[in-house]
Amino acid sequence: MSDYFTKSLELHKKLAGKIETHVKTEITSKEDLATVYSPWVAEPCREIAKNKNTVYDYTIKWNTVAVISDGSAVLGLWNIGAEAALPVMEWKCALFKNFSGLNAFPIVLDTQDTEEIIRTIKNIAPVFGWINLEDISAPRCFEIEERLKAELDIPVFHDDQHGTAIVCLAGLINSLKIVGKRKEDIKVVVNWVWAAGVAITKLLLKFWVKNIVVVDSSWTIYKWRDWLNPVKEMLTDLTNTTCILNPNWDGCIKGGLAEAVKWTDVFIGVSAPWVLTSQMVESMNQDSIVFAMANPTPEIMPDDAYKAGAKIVATGRSDYPNQINNVLVFPGIFKWALARRVNNITDDMKISAAEALANAVENPSPEKIIPWPFEDGIADLVAASIK
Amino acid sequence: MSDYFTKSLELHKKLAGKIETHVKTEITSKEDLATVYSPWVAEPCREIAKNKNTVYDYTIKWNTVAVISDGSAVLGLWNIGAEAALPVMEWKCALFKNFSGLNAFPIVLDTQDTEEIIRTIKNIAPVFGWINLEDISAPRCFEIEERLKAELDIPVFHDDQHGTAIVCLAGLINSLKIVGKRKEDIKVVVNWVWAAGVAITKLLLKFWVKNIVVVDSSWTIYKWRDWLNPVKEMLTDLTNTTCILNPNWDGCIKGGLAEAVKWTDVFIGVSAPWVLTSQMVESMNQDSIVFAMANPTPEIMPDDAYKAGAKIVATGRSDYPNQINNVLVFPGIFKWALARRVNNITDDMKISAAEALANAVENPSPEKIIPWPFEDGIADLVAASIK
């Protein structure tokens, strides 16, 4: 492993930036300069001033994405700040280019104040066709996304939430085919109520997976539990619901992760390294499914999970099979929505994308529940799936 | 001319954005993805979190410039707003790449409030190595630049001010050689007290051109005139100064542009189309020098100025000789300062750059007072001149 540490640092240093800007036209003559700069650049300016919408015709706006983070929830490294988040944002931009041909530029913010982030993003929005929020911690990320969606006239998408939820659902669809269980019957634990956990829970509910227990860093979420923020409060109406009408909240799962995963079919981890023990996996139902997606170090290493009896294991990493990674989703969704200037990605669209992604695997097996990102045409397939 | 209008619009539409992002490394294998993305991208993140300064080693920050405008003073089109300013900002970015190899990304702001602009730029600063302010109207541009310089740890440069002042001075140095006048003796009129006019005036004063009269859109600036904003007030101590100690402000030039240019040697226009008439040029001293730099339409067309007796005429346009254009200056200055992480461009540095640029013309003549931007090595020559 230490080889990879060194190799990654060396590569990053050698590249000194993973993206760069290129000029799309030659500027080598007096005529070029006169056409593209003073005096004739004034013409498209005048056109756009007359009709603001033509900015999509004359500038980079139509195919340019902002990848914006405040560095508060970067991978499993959490709050490492703006500068330290930049290598991740650059790669996200590189992946946008490679997998969908879109331009993406990283913006890392020197503030973690919700109002300030919203103002700043609104102020810089005119150059972008799409705002992709990235690695912003919960619960701020929910308010920031909702407010920007309401206040901007371009799409806003928090990929940690929706991209992760879609690819996770795709993996689950194929996993259920393999183990022969029905979505209506399974018991699912979602570990940690940050951005991805909340979005996964909401999308699974929409997909009719109804028996879900959500766990935060200390305890299961259930109706009447103390110390719930508004997002967790909202989840108490949707998850761990058997106790809602019972005296003494009887029947709902109360306890830590160990209590939550017992006799469940699916563990979905978007939390922290090593929090799922072998004993916990052993306590799950037959043919258990373990998605240990914390990055860079998963909740349990795949070998340990298999040894403890898991039938299917997935992680967020590229060096194990079954990489549950947003890169399978966001290029296609953005390509589709930018081409059509769609402002809102609905839950139905997300489910269509997940189903298309699942169906792209011809013969799902425990080692292959989702496509590999470098397979041809994944972005186009996702784009085509959205109705 | 209408041919060029059409050609410019067609080219802008065909390109649909004049810059794009490229990825600097191949991402085609599982190992690539693991190294550059999850899990190993975490390594440079951890390094930067430990020592923020290493962001210059591992990311695009070291060679990336923000070209930022609020669309309030775009060319001579003035306040056309953020979106309409974007074609100009994109070309500026293209010129950065072409002439200095630096990455530049356009940011157009959906606010023209001074405090809001300052906050927004500070918030997005972490990804950039340099902030280039562009086409922001005076007097707000002065406060914005000064405040950002004080509050940010990366360089901030308002190119409309300093780039224009440097290339204008370079042109003046060679013009004076041609007409055989000394800088200490000449009378200069600077027309309009916006960003460029103020910066040119200040740099000429520093260069020991002492007899300058500045004109705003209605009248000459002089001590005790009514209705002066703080910037104009500051200029009354430095220009049109003969009257300062006289009773009734006797001896200073009071009047419009016609009164101001009479018996002067140099007209420097950074104002608006057609404001300098043939009669005004006729009223200037022998061997007059006319820099009519309003874009896209100059204060007087070169042919008219020559007919009225001007010895040397320059404009901001690429389709006439003597293009006084910032593109001769900013690539070299930025290249130099980014490489050395210099945070402040002093007046002495600006004068060094102007002298180097003037000296790059081997035999100055009325048709060639400054180099042509496509001459080899101009950026390097400017960079090398700065001590």
Side-chain angles (χ1 to χ4, degrees), chain A residues 1 4-5 7-9 11-13 15-25 27-31 33-49 52 55 57-60 62 64 75 77 80 82-84 86-88 90-91 94-95 97-98 103-111 116 119-120 122-124 126-128 295-296 316-318 323 325 372-374, chain B residues 1 4-5 7-9 11-13 15-25 27-31 33-49 52 55 57-60 62 64 75 77 80 82-84 86-88 90-91 94-95 97-98 103-111 116 119-120 122-124 126-128 295-296 316-318 323 325 372-374:
Chain A
M1 277 200 190
Y4 277 99
F5 287 147
K7 199 176 157 190
S8 173
L9 280 183
L11 178 69
H12 278 84
K13 209 160 199 164
L15 291 173
K18 279 77 66 179
I19 57 165
E20 59 186 347
T21 56
H22 274 213
V23 183
K24 287 169 79 176
T25 183
I27 311 176
T28 52
S29 72
K30 187 178 273 205
E31 204 194 342
L33 208 58
T35 311
V36 303
Y37 199 48
S38 182
W40 309 112
V41 71
E43 292 320 303
C45 297
R46 286 195 178 103
E47 289 295 309
I48 300 169
K52 209 193 258 189
V55 69
D57 299 323
Y58 294 117
T59 76
I60 59 171
W62 72 279
T64 299
L75 309 173
L77 308 171
I80 56 176
E83 283 83 359
L86 192 47
V88 177
E90 286 185 17
W91 283 123
L95 295 175
K97 190 74 190 190
N98 269 20
N103 301 317
F105 192 82
I107 299 285
V108 283
L109 298 171
D110 198 15
T111 175
E116 193 78 3
R119 290 155 68 109
T120 301
K122 285 173 68 178
N123 286 339
I124 65 170
V127 69
F128 298 108
N295 272 319
R317 293 168 59 130
S318 312
Q323 185 186 17
N325 193 302
W372 166 239
F374 294 110
Chain B
M1 276 198 189
Y4 277 100
F5 287 148
K7 198 176 157 188
S8 172
L9 280 183
L11 178 68
H12 278 84
K13 209 160 199 164
L15 290 173
K18 279 77 66 180
I19 57 165
E20 59 185 347
T21 56
H22 274 211
V23 182
K24 288 170 79 178
T25 182
I27 311 176
T28 51
S29 72
K30 187 177 271 205
E31 205 192 342
L33 209 58
T35 312
V36 304
Y37 198 48
S38 182
W40 310 111
V41 70
E43 292 320 303
C45 297
R46 285 194 178 105
E47 287 296 308
I48 300 168
K52 209 194 258 190
V55 69
D57 299 324
Y58 293 118
T59 76
I60 60 172
W62 72 278
T64 299
L75 309 172
L77 308 171
I80 56 176
E83 283 84 357
L86 192 48
V88 177
E90 285 184 19
W91 285 122
L95 296 174
K97 189 73 192 194
N98 269 20
N103 299 318
F105 192 81
I107 300 284
V108 284
L109 298 171
D110 197 16
T111 175
E116 192 78 4
R119 289 156 68 109
T120 300
K122 285 173 67 179
N123 285 339
I124 65 169
V127 67
F128 298 107
N295 272 320
R317 293 169 57 131
S318 311
Q323 184 185 17
N325 193 303
W372 165 240
F374 293 111

Side-chain angles (χ1 to χ4, degrees), chain B residues 142 158 160-162 164-165 194-204:
Chain B
F142 305 117
H158 186 201
D160 300 304
Q161 289 183 62
H162 312 301
T164 311
W194 299 109
V198 173
I200 290 167
T201 303
K202 286 162 91 177
L203 194 62
L204 290 185

Side-chain angles (χ1 to χ4, degrees), chain B residues 2-213:
Chain B
S2 65
D3 264 8
Y4 277 100
F5 287 148
T6 315
K7 198 176 157 188
S8 172
L9 280 183
E10 274 170 6
L11 178 68
H12 278 84
K13 209 160 199 164
K14 196 185 92 190
L15 290 173
K18 279 77 66 180
I19 57 165
E20 59 185 347
T21 56
H22 274 211
V23 182
K24 288 170 79 178
T25 182
E26 281 214 334
I27 311 176
T28 51
S29 72
K30 187 177 271 205
E31 205 192 342
D32 291 342
L33 209 58
T35 312
V36 304
Y37 198 48
S38 182
W40 310 111
V41 70
E43 292 320 303
C45 297
R46 285 194 178 105
E47 287 296 308
I48 300 168
K50 271 189 276 176
N51 175 3
K52 209 194 258 190
N53 221 32
T54 59
V55 69
Y56 285 95
D57 299 324
Y58 293 118
T59 76
I60 60 172
K61 186 177 177 80
W62 72 278
N63 69 341
T64 299
V65 177
V67 173
I68 304 183
S69 180
D70 66 351
S72 59
V74 181
L75 309 172
L77 308 171
W78 302 104
N79 194 352
I80 56 176
E83 283 84 357
L86 192 48
V88 177
M89 302 311 131
E90 285 184 19
W91 285 122
K92 188 86 182 197
C93 293
L95 296 174
F96 262 111
K97 189 73 192 194
N98 269 20
F99 290 101
S100 68
L102 299 171
N103 299 318
F105 192 81
I107 300 284
V108 284
L109 298 171
D110 197 16
T111 175
Q112 296 188 345
D113 177 84
T114 299
E115 287 305 318
E116 192 78 4
I117 289 174
I118 292 169
R119 289 156 68 109
T120 300
I121 294 176
K122 285 173 67 179
N123 285 339
I124 65 169
V127 67
F128 298 107
W130 190 301
I131 303 293
N132 180 73
L133 301 173
E134 195 80 25
D135 293 359
I136 298 176
S137 66
R140 295 175 311 128
C141 63
F142 305 117
E143 186 183 350
I144 292 169
E145 189 191 25
E146 286 312 312
R147 286 272 303 283
L148 287 173
K149 270 176 150 171
E151 295 173 28
L152 278 176
D153 61 354
I154 54 171
V156 179
F157 189 83
H158 186 201
D159 191 44
D160 300 304
Q161 289 183 62
H162 312 301
T164 311
I166 293 167
V167 68
C168 179
L169 176 57
L172 185 65
I173 290 170
N174 277 345
S175 298
L176 293 180
K177 287 182 204 160
I178 295 163
V179 299
K181 297 182 183 176
R182 299 192 323 157
K183 63 185 179 184
E184 297 80 1
D185 303 332
I186 53 170
K187 290 185 192 169
V188 177
V189 167
V190 176
N191 199 42
W192 288 20
V193 199
W194 299 109
V198 173
I200 290 167
T201 303
K202 286 162 91 177
L203 194 62
L204 290 185
L205 288 164
K206 190 82 187 179
F207 187 66
W208 288 95
V209 173
K210 291 298 174 197
N211 196 337
I212 304 177
V213 171

Side-chain angles (χ1 to χ4, degrees), chain A residues 177-372:
Chain A
K177 287 182 205 161
I178 295 164
V179 299
K181 296 182 184 178
R182 299 191 323 155
K183 63 186 180 183
E184 297 81 359
D185 304 333
I186 54 171
K187 289 186 192 169
V188 177
V189 167
V190 176
N191 199 41
W192 288 20
V193 199
W194 300 108
V198 173
I200 289 167
T201 303
K202 285 162 93 176
L203 195 62
L204 290 184
L205 287 164
K206 189 84 187 176
F207 187 66
W208 288 96
V209 173
K210 290 300 174 194
N211 196 338
I212 303 176
V213 170
V214 181
V215 187
D216 66 18
S217 54
S218 61
W219 211 250
T220 56
I221 307 289
Y222 59 92
K223 199 78 180 173
W224 321 124
R225 200 191 100 177
D226 285 344
W227 307 110
L228 294 174
N229 68 30
V231 175
K232 294 179 185 178
E233 190 70 52
M234 175 271 292
L235 287 176
T236 62
D237 287 330
L238 306 169
T239 64
N240 205 351
T241 49
T242 42
C243 60
I244 288 183
L245 300 173
N246 295 0
N248 305 317
W249 321 311
D250 215 29
C252 72
I253 313 291
K254 295 178 213 169
L257 182 57
E259 287 74 28
V261 294
K262 207 168 178 183
W263 297 315
T264 58
D265 302 283
V266 181
F267 168 84
I268 294 174
V270 276
S271 48
W274 313 116
V275 297
L276 189 71
T277 64
S278 296
Q279 288 73 24
M280 293 181 195
V281 177
E282 284 164 10
S283 77
M284 292 175 73
N285 284 341
Q286 185 80 11
D287 289 338
S288 61
I289 297 163
V290 172
F291 289 0
M293 299 187 288
N295 272 319
T297 310
E299 285 81 354
I300 185 168
M301 293 311 275
D303 288 350
D304 297 333
Y306 282 121
K307 269 186 222 150
K311 176 82 179 179
I312 296 169
V313 182
T315 69
R317 293 168 59 130
S318 312
D319 50 353
Y320 288 103
N322 294 333
Q323 185 186 17
I324 304 276
N325 193 302
N326 308 10
V327 74
L328 284 163
V329 170
F330 67 80
I333 298 230
F334 276 61
K335 200 172 175 182
W336 174 82
L338 270 176
R340 281 165 191 72
R341 294 203 206 148
V342 168
N343 264 13
N344 190 28
I345 304 299
T346 64
D347 286 338
D348 287 338
M349 293 175 189
K350 293 174 197 164
I351 290 173
S352 299
E355 285 173 334
L357 211 49
N359 290 332
V361 183
E362 250 179 69
N363 294 305
S365 70
E367 290 73 39
K368 182 151 186 185
I369 57 169
I370 41 166
W372 166 239

Side-chain angles (χ1 to χ4, degrees), chain B residues 139-351:
Chain B
R140 295 175 311 128
C141 63
F142 305 117
E143 186 183 350
I144 292 169
E145 189 191 25
E146 286 312 312
R147 286 272 303 283
L148 287 173
K149 270 176 150 171
E151 295 173 28
L152 278 176
D153 61 354
I154 54 171
V156 179
F157 189 83
H158 186 201
D159 191 44
D160 300 304
Q161 289 183 62
H162 312 301
T164 311
I166 293 167
V167 68
C168 179
L169 176 57
L172 185 65
I173 290 170
N174 277 345
S175 298
L176 293 180
K177 287 182 204 160
I178 295 163
V179 299
K181 297 182 183 176
R182 299 192 323 157
K183 63 185 179 184
E184 297 80 1
D185 303 332
I186 53 170
K187 290 185 192 169
V188 177
V189 167
V190 176
N191 199 42
W192 288 20
V193 199
W194 299 109
V198 173
I200 290 167
T201 303
K202 286 162 91 177
L203 194 62
L204 290 185
L205 288 164
K206 190 82 187 179
F207 187 66
W208 288 95
V209 173
K210 291 298 174 197
N211 196 337
I212 304 177
V213 171
V214 181
V215 187
D216 66 18
S217 54
S218 60
W219 212 249
T220 56
I221 306 290
Y222 58 92
K223 199 82 180 173
W224 321 125
R225 200 191 98 177
D226 285 343
W227 306 111
L228 294 174
N229 68 31
V231 175
K232 294 179 184 178
E233 190 70 52
M234 174 271 292
L235 288 176
T236 62
D237 287 330
L238 306 169
T239 63
N240 205 352
T241 49
T242 42
C243 60
I244 288 182
L245 299 173
N246 295 1
N248 304 319
W249 322 311
D250 216 28
C252 72
I253 313 291
K254 294 178 214 166
L257 181 58
E259 286 75 27
V261 293
K262 209 170 178 183
W263 298 313
T264 59
D265 303 282
V266 181
F267 168 84
I268 294 174
V270 276
S271 48
W274 314 116
V275 297
L276 190 72
T277 64
S278 295
Q279 288 73 23
M280 293 182 194
V281 178
E282 283 164 9
S283 77
M284 293 175 72
N285 284 342
Q286 186 80 12
D287 289 338
S288 61
I289 297 163
V290 172
F291 289 1
M293 299 188 287
N295 272 320
T297 311
E299 285 80 355
I300 185 169
M301 293 310 277
D303 288 351
D304 296 333
Y306 282 122
K307 269 186 222 151
K311 176 82 179 177
I312 296 169
V313 182
T315 69
R317 293 169 57 131
S318 311
D319 50 351
Y320 289 102
N322 294 334
Q323 184 185 17
I324 305 276
N325 193 303
N326 308 9
V327 74
L328 284 162
V329 170
F330 67 81
I333 298 228
F334 277 60
K335 200 172 173 180
W336 174 81
L338 271 175
R340 281 166 192 71
R341 294 202 205 152
V342 168
N343 264 13
N344 191 27
I345 304 298
T346 64
D347 286 339
D348 286 338
M349 293 175 189
K350 294 174 196 164
I351 290 171

